[in-house]
Amino acid sequence: MTVVKSTISDSARQITGDALQSTLVDLLGLSLIGKQAHWNIVGPRFRSIHLQLDEVVASAREFADTVAERAAALGVSPDGRPETIASAFTLPGPKEGWVRDSDVVGVMVESLEAAIARLRERIEATDKPDPVTQDLLISITAELEKQRWMFAAENVGRES
């Protein structure tokens, strides 16, 4: 059932809806990865990375809301239910228990890189079907690339 009539064609809505749903899963999962690492980080850089993780979590949650609302505006019901996220999420995350600061940085770089790669695929996929959604995905990618850079810089010159 479509409650909201889309302003784009059905085929464009399908492609765009898939891109938005996958992005929603990645963003909600990224926020969970960030919080898990935030709660379990240990090491001499605890405080600075602990705070940096909060920035990633806040961005991911804000973007998730924007992505879900974009989907709804196009007549696509966003699905952020825990079981959906758990079954569809594939980004790498931290191990269970306490995690060294350098390992947290490594997992965040890896997770952000994977999310960015997937976003770039969705940017390409939405080029023709919905440039508005493509623009949104480009903005999200730019922010995640900035976050990835900031984390990657943390481990330069350090042994893991």
Side-chain angles (χ1 to χ4, degrees):
M1 164 176 75
T2 300
V3 175
V4 176
K5 176 139 176 58
S6 181
T7 57
I8 60 178
S9 71
D10 287 344
S11 63
R13 186 171 64 88
Q14 180 66 48
I15 292 166
T16 302
D18 290 348
L20 289 166
Q21 179 60 38
S22 296
T23 301
L24 180 62
V25 167
D26 283 354
L27 291 168
L28 291 173
L30 190 58
S31 75
L32 294 173
I33 287 171
K35 270 303 178 187
Q36 181 66 23
H38 173 89
W39 296 321
N40 288 285
I41 186 172
V42 294
R45 296 180 295 154
F46 166 84
R47 181 161 173 71
S48 63
I49 297 171
H50 182 80
L51 295 173
Q52 191 175 352
L53 288 164
D54 271 342
E55 292 175 21
V56 172
V57 170
S59 291
R61 287 178 178 170
E62 183 177 336
F63 286 139
D65 189 52
T66 302
V67 163
E69 288 176 352
R70 177 70 186 150
L74 294 175
V76 176
S77 176
D79 189 354
R81 295 173 301 151
E83 59 270 25
T84 300
I85 305 309
S87 68
F89 187 71
T90 60
L91 297 179
K95 63 183 175 98
E96 183 180 347
W98 304 114
V99 185
R100 296 276 319 157
D101 52 6
S102 58
D103 293 336
V104 166
V105 168
V107 79
M108 289 308 298
V109 168
E110 189 179 355
S111 295
L112 287 162
E113 282 178 357
I116 290 162
R118 292 164 54 113
L119 274 162
R120 287 187 168 279
E121 291 171 3
R122 296 175 199 132
I123 287 167
E124 188 174 325
T126 56
D127 177 36
K128 296 279 189 246
D130 187 23
V132 175
T133 294
Q134 182 192 46
D135 186 55
L136 172 61
L137 299 177
I138 290 168
S139 297
I140 293 168
T141 303
E143 177 61 25
L144 294 185
E145 286 177 336
K146 181 178 113 180
Q147 293 290 345
R148 187 219 155 269
W149 158 61
M150 292 174 140
F151 275 106
E154 288 279 349
N155 276 351
V156 171
R158 291 185 158 266
E159 291 185 38
S160 295

